[in-house]
Amino acid sequence: MTPAVATADWEKLRAVAQDAMSRAYAPYSGYPVGVAALVDDGRIVSGCNVENASYGLGLCAECGLVSELQNTGGGRLTHFTCVDGRGEILVPCGRCRQLLFEFGGPDLLLETPAGILTLAEMLPQAFGPDHLR
């Protein structure tokens, strides 16, 4: 286990994600999701999914997390977890992996059902901001 993984309080991150999940707005799918992440300055940010009657306009929990990140001073995400309505660990969808790549990069550590993985392992050969320079 790397030092960064060992020093992260994954239980605390999961608890914050579960708290966020409790405020999800998921009347159509009935599938609430909560996320939490550690920021490089020590803050924890979180988010929950917010659905809309026009299904395609729903917001994944990661959207709220990134909005909170920017709204509270920016920074880089270093550790991330995602839970469902039962508190079970989930992996982010493809769209959200791309969003996390933008704000955490390939070294972002994700808690997954298979253990702690880097975002580079979850999103190999990612397209990112460096491709647009």
Side-chain angles (χ1 to χ4, degrees):
M1 186 174 290
T2 66
V5 173
T7 60
D9 188 344
W10 291 103
E11 287 184 32
K12 181 176 182 180
L13 279 179
R14 261 192 317 282
V16 172
Q18 288 175 353
D19 183 54
M21 178 273 303
S22 74
R23 289 184 294 283
Y25 180 72
Y28 307 105
S29 71
Y31 197 76
V33 175
V35 296
L38 185 62
V39 182
D40 58 2
D41 65 5
R43 283 177 294 137
I44 293 177
V45 292
S46 63
C48 62
N49 59 321
V50 178
E51 296 178 350
N52 184 288
S54 177
Y55 296 135
L57 296 179
L59 299 173
C60 293
E62 291 83 351
C63 295
L65 179 138
V66 167
S67 182
E68 183 178 332
L69 172 70
Q70 289 304 109
N71 193 42
T72 59
R76 298 296 287 169
L77 302 174
T78 61
H79 300 75
F80 173 88
T81 193
C82 180
V83 299
D84 66 15
R86 297 181 317 274
E88 300 292 324
I89 298 167
L90 298 173
V91 294
C93 70
R95 171 186 176 228
C96 290
R97 291 177 197 189
Q98 186 66 43
L99 187 62
L100 292 171
F101 188 81
E102 184 85 14
F103 293 93
D107 296 327
L108 173 63
L109 296 173
L110 287 80
E111 184 176 37
T112 77
I116 307 301
L117 299 173
T118 65
L119 188 52
E121 293 171 292
M122 297 291 298
L123 186 65
Q125 300 182 37
F127 178 84
D130 290 340
H131 291 99
L132 300 174
R133 292 196 182 120

